Amino acid sequence: MSNDINSEGGGVVVTKMNDLLNWARLSSLWPLSFGIACCAIEFMGAFASTYDLDRYGVFPRPSARQADVLIIAGTVTFKMAERIKRLYEQMPEPKYVISMGSCSNCGGPYWQHGYHVVKGVDRVIPVDIYVQGCPPRPESLIGAILELQKKIEGESLLGVGKSEKTESPEVTGA
């Protein structure tokens, strides 16, 4: 037995550099572990052994400088909004935002009766994917991650080939 490159088990893979970079990026999403309110429990549940987001290559990071996905899970107050914006600005490019739950999407039931709640995190930072629900189930967050992977697959880091923009943000949930 010889370990020859030309043996039956060996081979060569040929692909475009753009496709290889996108595959690497969509297979290793690192969200910032950042939960504000009750949706954070569902966010944590998605990383538990029942749903196990690790199998999709999603591994939460403790620092904005290491993360490429910001998942806003909960009610955004005006005081918290400036901190969210600062964290978003610290993230390296390319970066993505998932808004999880009614409170982060549109202020939820609190913005009508409270002066302190922002009517949607999209007024502070750009949002790529919206997850509906109050609170949304972990399955909805997994669906949002899959939608984000589709979006990343269609992008081009090299400036040629696939388009960089999509028509509108996706809405996922049950």
Side-chain angles (χ1 to χ4, degrees), residues 32 34 36 68-74 76-77 80-91 93 95-100 104-105 118-130 169:
L32 180 61
F34 185 77
I36 305 170
D68 56 0
V69 179
L70 179 59
I71 300 176
I72 305 297
V76 178
T77 62
M80 187 59 76
E82 65 185 60
R83 286 144 180 94
I84 290 172
K85 185 173 177 87
R86 184 179 306 148
L87 287 171
Y88 179 77
E89 290 169 351
Q90 289 176 356
M91 292 171 57
E93 292 286 343
K95 53 191 170 188
Y96 307 96
V97 176
I98 296 176
S99 177
M100 181 177 173
S104 62
N105 290 346
V118 177
K119 189 180 178 187
V121 73
D122 55 355
R123 294 179 182 226
V124 181
I125 57 175
V127 175
D128 296 295
I129 307 285
Y130 293 91

Side-chain angles (χ1 to χ4, degrees), residues 9-67:
V12 176
V13 176
V14 178
T15 186
K16 297 177 191 169
M17 184 63 150
N18 200 34
D19 292 340
L20 181 66
L21 289 173
N22 284 344
W23 172 80
R25 286 179 38 230
L26 69 87
S27 299
S28 62
L29 295 174
W30 290 1
L32 180 61
S33 50
F34 185 77
I36 305 170
C38 47
C39 287
I41 301 297
E42 300 297 327
F43 172 67
M44 290 180 251
F47 287 97
S49 60
T50 306
Y51 299 101
D52 192 23
L53 270 174
D54 288 347
R55 65 187 163 152
Y56 293 107
V58 180
F59 185 72
R61 304 303 302 168
S63 169
R65 292 185 176 100
Q66 298 171 345

Side-chain angles (χ1 to χ4, degrees), residues 147-167:
E147 287 295 322
L148 184 59
Q149 287 177 337
K150 287 180 192 173
K151 179 178 180 167
I152 292 170
E153 190 175 28
E155 290 181 345
S156 173
L157 284 178
L158 303 177
V160 294
K162 300 174 185 173
S163 69
E164 271 190 46
K165 300 283 183 185
T166 58
E167 294 92 36

